[in-house]
């Protein structure tokens, strides 16, 4: 049981490390947002589940479940808000990016207003 | 779960925090720094839970919950500020 929990915790901590590495290496704000929120969300959920399996005798599983639910609810909201703020603050995409749906929507809305 | 194994996990996580911290210091725009801070806070929540179970002090679980809540509210406020100004 403890070995199973340790393996899941190791996978989660490697995901957290890869999230930090992607924050450092990615070329753009939006790509950094991808790695920095998705990999970190999955990594922290795996990490907390593995820890609570490994320490199942401590009687603190309810609080860890509350923390997991809170991470699931709040992490996408904060990443979406940050991406929207970066877009409307006028930060450019990298030169290798292909498509920008939000910019096209803005242009269409301005055309309808005219 | 033994203490040695927990210390190995702690070193892996702290390495990830340091990589994000380099981006937070280098970052060309304020959005980069905000994204790096978001990653660091989510990682530190996991780190607090690990420390709570290493030291057998379960008050750290409450601390990590309140920390994640305050970090969420603060990041949303920073994002609204960057989008529209005060």
């Amino acid at each position: 049981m403890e070995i199973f929990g340790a393996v899941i915790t190791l996978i989660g901590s490697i995901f957290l490390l890869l999230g930090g590495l992607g924050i450092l290496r990615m070329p753009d704000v939006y790509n950094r947002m991808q790695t920095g929120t998705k990999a970190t969300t999955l990594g922290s959920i795996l990490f907390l589940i593995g820890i609570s399996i490994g320490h199942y005798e401590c009687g603190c599983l309810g609080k860890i479940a509350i923390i997991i639910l809170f991470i699931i609810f709040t992490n996408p909201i904060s990443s979406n808000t940050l991406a929207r703020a970066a877009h409307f603050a006028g930060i450019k995409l990298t030169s290798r990016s292909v498509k920008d749906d939000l910019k096209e929507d803005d242009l269409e809305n301005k055309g309808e207003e005219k | 779960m033994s203490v040695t194994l927990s210390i190995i996990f702690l070193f892996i996580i702290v390495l990830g925090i340091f990589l994000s911290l380099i981006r937070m210091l280098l970052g060309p725009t304020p959005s980069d720094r905000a994204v790096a801070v978001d990653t660091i806070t989510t990682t530190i929540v996991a780190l607090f839970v690990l420390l709570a179970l290493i030291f057998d002090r379960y008050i750290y679980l409450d601390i990590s919950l309140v920390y994640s809540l305050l970090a969420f509210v603060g990041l949303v406020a920073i994002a609204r500020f960057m989008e529209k100004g005060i």
Side-chain angles (χ1 to χ4, degrees):
Chain A
M1 198 72 176
E2 289 194 352
I3 295 173
F4 184 61
V7 169
I8 293 180
T9 315
L10 182 64
I11 295 172
S13 59
I14 287 174
F15 265 102
L16 288 175
L17 175 63
L18 288 180
L21 189 65
I23 285 284
L24 186 61
R25 290 280 298 164
M26 282 285 174
D28 194 2
V29 179
Y30 308 100
N31 293 320
R32 279 173 205 146
M33 194 119 26
Q34 292 286 325
T35 64
T37 58
K38 286 182 181 173
T40 312
T41 306
L42 180 61
S44 57
I45 290 169
L46 282 177
F47 192 85
L48 296 179
I49 288 176
I51 269 185
S52 58
I53 288 174
H55 289 267
Y56 60 94
E57 75 278 2
C58 74
C60 54
L61 303 183
K63 282 178 183 174
I64 294 180
I66 290 173
I67 295 172
I68 291 173
L69 278 180
F70 196 78
I71 286 174
I72 290 174
F73 282 135
T74 60
N75 232 342
I77 298 173
S78 66
S79 75
N80 188 9
T81 318
L82 280 172
R84 190 180 161 82
H87 182 271
F88 286 114
I91 293 171
K92 295 285 192 296
L93 297 174
T94 181
S95 60
R96 281 179 287 172
S97 59
V98 179
K99 190 166 167 55
D100 190 358
D101 279 336
L102 188 55
K103 190 175 179 182
E104 292 172 2
D105 284 344
D106 286 342
L107 290 178
E108 286 178 359
N109 288 328
K110 284 179 183 174
E112 285 177 357
E113 286 176 358
K114 287 176 183 176
Chain B
M1 200 180 294
S2 65
V3 176
T4 312
L5 211 55
S6 300
I7 289 175
I8 292 172
F9 297 148
L10 193 143
F11 271 108
I12 295 174
I13 287 181
V14 169
L15 188 59
I17 291 176
F18 269 107
L19 291 176
S20 307
L21 203 62
I22 294 171
R23 172 54 66 195
M24 194 189 81
L25 294 176
L26 289 178
T29 63
S31 298
D32 289 318
R33 299 173 203 265
V35 172
V37 169
D38 189 14
T39 306
I40 289 173
T41 52
T42 313
T43 313
I44 281 179
V45 169
L47 185 68
F48 265 116
V49 176
L50 183 63
L51 288 180
L53 295 179
I54 288 177
F55 291 128
D56 285 334
R57 294 193 175 179
Y58 299 127
I59 189 71
Y60 285 177
L61 296 174
D62 300 334
I63 291 174
S64 72
L65 188 61
V66 175
Y67 182 77
S68 67
L69 196 143
L70 288 179
F72 169 66
V73 174
L75 271 174
V76 171
I78 288 173
R80 297 297 285 181
F81 171 68
M82 283 194 299
E83 185 175 347
K84 291 178 183 174
I86 294 173

